[in-house]
Amino acid sequence: MSQRSWPCSLLTVGAALSLAACNTNETMRVMKGELPPLGGSLEGGPWLIEDLNGGGVPDNARLDLTFEPGDGDTSRVQGSSGCNRFFGRWTQNGARVSFGPLAGTMMACPPALMDIEQKFLKTMESVTTVSFDVTGAALLKSTDGRTIKIRRETPKTG
């Protein structure tokens, strides 16, 4: 290697190591579950609830949400809360999001479904922020630490 190309080679290796370090830091955050928040919109759906306050969702419960954009006070959210159908207002401004008041049908269901439904609806009304991770999931968060992880339902083919 000539003396002239040595600094350029060193610079190239340094840049590659810096990029690898950035990538390693990102990989470590993903492995720890600390995904970087990404911007996005909740509009559309349906979104399926994957996790409610760190406790998952019972196999026999379908909890989903669809966000209709509307106009100002006419933006509506609707879906299944495990046992009943629910609906209400929602707004999103960047990472800030709010829901409510929420209302729903009042059918009786097995106690486990009624319990998950109540937890879901109470958490929804306390949500104040949303972040999106690199996997496409959205994390709805309340100020007291409660969370709902949702993911857009993939269309069934065939």
Side-chain angles (χ1 to χ4, degrees):
M1 180 183 310
S2 73
Q3 284 188 351
R4 187 182 239 195
S5 65
W6 183 81
C8 290
S9 296
L10 185 59
L11 186 59
T12 303
V13 169
L17 288 173
S18 294
L19 287 174
C22 290
N23 189 28
T24 301
N25 290 339
E26 192 64 33
T27 302
M28 290 303 294
R29 285 203 315 218
V30 169
M31 289 172 59
K32 292 180 184 175
E34 299 171 6
L35 298 175
L38 304 174
S41 173
L42 292 170
E43 288 183 10
W47 292 81
L48 296 177
I49 287 104
E50 289 186 349
D51 186 75
L52 179 60
N53 300 320
V57 175
D59 289 340
N60 61 339
R62 178 182 170 94
L63 287 83
D64 65 64
L65 308 112
T66 298
F67 299 91
E68 298 172 7
D71 194 15
D73 286 341
T74 64
S75 298
R76 295 185 48 85
V77 62
Q78 63 183 356
S80 172
S81 52
C83 175
N84 289 285
R85 302 287 305 160
F86 76 94
F87 53 91
R89 292 184 12 211
W90 77 285
T91 60
Q92 181 182 359
N93 185 3
R96 304 289 302 160
V97 66
S98 65
F99 298 96
L102 299 176
T105 58
M106 299 179 69
M107 296 185 309
C109 294
L113 289 179
M114 297 295 288
D115 183 53
I116 197 82
E117 179 174 82
Q118 289 304 309
K119 287 177 183 173
F120 168 69
L121 293 172
K122 287 183 185 301
T123 301
M124 280 288 288
E125 288 186 338
S126 70
V127 165
T128 58
T129 62
V130 60
S131 62
F132 298 83
D133 70 27
V134 295
T135 71
L139 192 59
L140 305 171
K141 301 176 188 176
S142 69
T143 56
D144 63 4
R146 291 182 286 167
T147 59
I148 301 172
K149 183 177 182 180
I150 61 176
R151 183 178 309 279
R152 287 190 195 269
E153 183 173 32
T154 54
K156 295 181 178 159
T157 58

